[in-house]
Amino acid sequence: MFITDQPREKLQLRPSISNTQKLPDHIGNQTFQLGIELGLSVVEMQQIESNHVTNLRSQTEEVLNKWRRLPEATYEVLEKALHRLQLSSVLSYLTYEEELEEQVERGL
């Protein structure tokens, strides 16, 4: 079972761009699987792969940016996806407080 130490209200927030920019260096060669776990289609993932054939980091950035625009993009979804891919260590790079401040500033 997946367990996080973050309060539920933080897990329901949409990750900020600054937060998702910290992740690509830590995903490695699991970008395709991450995209699928986050809800992107195989076709979308194949398109992303073909856009960045030799640049895995750019693939991961595009996956995360595309995912962030989905209505269901929350820290909870991201945490569960990373956990299923055995990338839970990547969670230490997320800073949930930043996102709270960003959403307050934008009036969300």
Side-chain angles (χ1 to χ4, degrees):
M1 180 60 199
F2 169 69
I3 299 171
T4 182
D5 60 354
Q6 294 298 323
R8 183 107 180 115
E9 61 271 8
K10 286 187 181 182
L11 292 176
Q12 297 306 309
L13 296 173
R14 179 178 310 276
S16 64
I17 293 169
S18 61
N19 257 308
T20 56
Q21 285 174 339
K22 298 171 186 176
L23 303 181
D25 290 331
H26 310 286
I27 302 299
N29 63 356
Q30 294 187 302
T31 298
F32 197 95
Q33 297 93 321
L34 178 62
I36 299 299
E37 289 287 340
L38 291 174
L40 300 182
S41 71
V42 171
V43 172
E44 286 174 300
M45 290 308 302
Q46 289 170 336
Q47 183 62 51
I48 289 169
E49 274 189 335
S50 68
N51 290 348
H52 310 281
V53 175
T54 60
N55 192 334
L56 192 56
R57 187 181 201 290
S58 292
Q59 285 180 25
T60 307
E61 286 174 349
E62 188 172 341
V63 165
L64 291 169
N65 288 335
K66 188 172 274 242
W67 169 73
R68 276 189 76 257
R69 293 191 286 269
L70 298 176
E72 60 274 10
T74 64
Y75 280 109
E76 183 174 33
V77 170
L78 181 58
E79 285 191 6
K80 287 179 179 178
L82 291 170
H83 182 72
R84 285 191 296 268
L85 295 173
Q86 299 180 343
L87 291 171
S88 297
S89 62
V90 175
L91 296 173
S92 64
Y93 297 97
L94 295 175
T95 54
Y96 302 81
E97 289 75 14
E98 276 182 24
E99 183 59 19
L100 280 171
E101 291 168 14
E102 274 184 32
Q103 290 197 1
V104 167
E105 286 170 16
R106 291 192 317 236
L108 295 177

